[in-house]
Amino acid sequence: MRNAQPWKSFVPVAVNLLLGIPAIVPVFLVRYVLSNGPLAELGLTSRDPNEDDGMLLWLLTSSPG
């Protein structure tokens, strides 16, 4: 049973990497939308001065799937 110990510690690390790395993009997009939208309207953050085309909404609503 001594050989099973390293395998048991590797499984949580592998699962964390498999779930954590793909979550970077959605977390970034949620932060981006919140900081340029509702939080900026409340005065808690400032809008990105380069965000003037409004294409993020089109990207999110027209993407397949």
Side-chain angles (χ1 to χ4, degrees):
M1 245 358 198
R2 197 79 173 139
N3 292 338
Q5 199 64 289
W7 179 252
K8 286 183 180 180
S9 63
F10 175 73
V11 172
V13 171
V15 170
N16 193 8
L17 285 174
L18 288 174
L19 295 176
I21 290 175
I24 292 172
V25 174
V27 168
F28 172 76
L29 286 176
V30 167
R31 185 200 61 86
Y32 180 80
V33 169
L34 287 177
S35 66
N36 283 313
L39 294 178
E41 292 292 327
L42 292 172
L44 298 174
T45 61
S46 60
R47 291 186 188 270
D48 183 9
N50 296 326
E51 179 58 40
D52 57 359
D53 56 357
M55 291 304 294
L56 181 64
L57 179 62
W58 287 104
L59 176 69
L60 294 175
T61 57
S62 66
S63 63

